[in-house]
């Protein structure tokens, strides 16, 4: 075997071990660390980040890459070697294209931006936040210029989160989704617009919620011998490595859906991580493809599985037995309560239908900011215009308007589209799974989730990063990514 390739693979794997250790101590930092351990933990993380950065930008990576590119190893573009070389090249270029000075400035501005955002958001203080966001937007434009682009400066920023994706590509799938969603909203009947949501805001004791969530996560296929469920203020999942993918959730004793669907969501992420091909761990062939594909897995288990009537035909008797609050509540009433559709101001609380509208207008705004078509000083007004146009609402303040999300304050411009792309991929994959497997709903109603998980493992998880997202959806479903699968699903569910 080629020596340069062997060196690159060993280098990649060793760096992956460092990243994995970093993930583990970052998980601990958010879960069980003693209060006085934070300063030392921050120092540990900084050292690891430095080591990882040195290894990622090691000039030998560039040298060895040029020795293997264009050789026998890259002849078959989907072979393990060709895939690894392709993705190592991408990462090396990204890591070395940004001047050191700019990288440091970005890190600093993002850290400051987020700190200030956390502090001033509760006080609704946009004026103080504005210069910090202006600084971030300026630096992100510089970053786009350093990375280079063909069509527009938003493209390389988006590509950082969603490999191979472009603004024009996103706009092409978002446009029909936006039009049809706004029309769909008008057709949704009252049973979903105004269900009795009092049912799910009764008292649901925390320990019982935990027991129930764990049982459901295990039933859909999350292996607790390879995972954990703990509590954090902001739920997340982390794939430490083979046999170790952990999740967290948060409980609200007076709002059943929060912990339950949050757990299904994070379990979906974890099951993807646990399904990656172990023999390729530490190289791109064994890594997740992108944020949107990751999100397609979490959203599928949370929504396309977890919010179906069939799913609850199986789980509802156990839920009724566990929670006295559900005594006398019919399955249908419960199903409608967890599926209420109603335009609202806050993205993270939005339902399946309106959620995508929140994302589409954020994409339009951040694209305009980076293009230079919109100034940060005009952002609050532009935001309110979009909320009126898309959702028919007017934000009462900045805190629940333009300042509601953490993303921009932390320099994450180009991240938002991955959420809705995730919904689109989920619906398209799910439609194909149904075509291949037959009556999924009948299986769910019997508590059988293994066939779907096996299908996802084989078609998506086991692929690692062999294909870029758009290629993956084409290979798996035989079609380009299209809005109609998500639209058909939403229409079928809410309008019939
Ligand atoms: Zn997620």
């Amino acid at each position: 075997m080629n020596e340069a390739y062997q060196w690159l693979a060993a280098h990649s794997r060793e760096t992956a071990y460092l990243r994995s250790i970093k993930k583990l101590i970052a998980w601990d930092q958010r879960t069980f660390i003693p209060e006085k351990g934070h300063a030392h933990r921050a120092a540990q993380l900084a050292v690891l980040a430095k080591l990882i950065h040195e290894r990622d930008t090691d000039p030998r990576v560039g040298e060895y890459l040029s020795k293997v590119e264009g050789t026998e190893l890259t002849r078959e573009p989907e072979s393990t070697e060709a895939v690894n070389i392709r993705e190592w090249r991408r990462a090396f270029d990204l890591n070395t294209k940004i001047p050191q000075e700019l990288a440091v400035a970005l890190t600093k501005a993002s850290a400051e931006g987020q700190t200030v955002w956390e502090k001033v958001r509760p006080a609704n203080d946009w004026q103080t936040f504005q210069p910090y966001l202006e600084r971030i937007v300026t630096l992100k434009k510089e970053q786009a210029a350093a990375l280079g682009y063909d069509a527009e400066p938003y493209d390389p920023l988006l590509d950082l989160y969603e490999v191979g994706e472009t603004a024009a590509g996103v706009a092409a799938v978002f446009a029909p989704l936006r039009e049809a969603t706004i029309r769909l909203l008008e057709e949704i009947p009252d049973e979903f617009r105004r269900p009795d949501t009092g049912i799910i805001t009764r008292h649901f004791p925390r320990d019982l919620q935990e027991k129930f969530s764990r049982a459901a996560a295990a039933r859909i296929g999350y292996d607790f011998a390879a995972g954990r469920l703990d509590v954090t203020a902001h739920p997340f999942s982390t794939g430490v490595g083979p046999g170790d993918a952990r999740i967290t959730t948060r409980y609200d004793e007076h709002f059943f859906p929060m912990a339950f669907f949050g757990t299904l969501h994070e379990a979906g992420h974890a099951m993807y991580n646990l399904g990656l091909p172990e023999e390729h761990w530490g190289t791109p062939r064994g890594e997740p493809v992108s944020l949107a594909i990751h999100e397609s897995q979490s959203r599928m288990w949370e929504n396309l599985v977890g919010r179906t009537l069939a799913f609850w035909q199986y789980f509802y008797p156990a839920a009724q037995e566990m929670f006295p609050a559900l005594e006398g509540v019919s399955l249908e009433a419960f199903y409608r309560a967890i599926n209420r559709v109603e335009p609202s101001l806050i993205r993270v609380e939005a339902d399946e239908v309106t959620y995508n509208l929140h994302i589409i207008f954020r994409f339009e705004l951040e694209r305009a900011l980076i293009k230079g078509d919109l100034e940060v000083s005009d952002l609050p007004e532009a935001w309110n215009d979009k909320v009126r146009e898309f959702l028919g609402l007017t934000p009462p303040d900045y805190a629940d308007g333009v300042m509601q999300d953490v993303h921009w304050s932390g320099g994450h411009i180009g991240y938002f589209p991955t959420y809705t792309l995730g919904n689109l991929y989920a619906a398209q994959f799910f439609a194909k799974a149904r075509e291949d497997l037959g009556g999924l709903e009948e299986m769910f109603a019997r508590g059988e989730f293994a066939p779907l998980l096996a299908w996802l493992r084989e078609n998506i998880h086991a692929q690692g990063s062999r294909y870029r997202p758009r290629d993956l959806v084409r290979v798996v479903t035989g079609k380009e990514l299209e809005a109609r699968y998500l639209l058909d699903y939403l229409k079928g569910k809410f309008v019939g």
Side-chain angles (χ1 to χ4, degrees), residues 96 136 212 273 306 382:
T96 51
I136 286 167
F212 190 72
N273 285 323

Side-chain angles (χ1 to χ4, degrees), residues 126 365 374 376-388 398 402:
W126 165 262
L365 291 173
L374 176 66
V376 173
S377 54
D378 296 326
L379 184 59
E381 214 188 301
W383 178 284
N384 288 356
D385 288 345
K386 292 281 187 196
V387 174
R388 267 188 291 273
Y398 299 124
V402 66

Side-chain angles (χ1 to χ4, degrees), residues 33 45 61 71 77 191 196 211 234 246 390 402 405 410 472:
I33 194 170
L45 285 164
V61 174
T71 66
E191 55 172 2
D196 176 11
K211 211 173 150 196
H234 301 281
R246 309 170 184 207
F390 281 58
V402 66
D405 303 299
L472 179 66

Side-chain angles (χ1 to χ4, degrees), residues 221-247:
Y222 178 42
D223 178 5
F224 276 93
R228 292 186 56 89
L229 173 63
D230 297 290
V231 181
T232 51
H234 301 281
F236 67 101
S237 88
T238 191
V240 176
D244 191 346
R246 309 170 184 207
I247 64 173

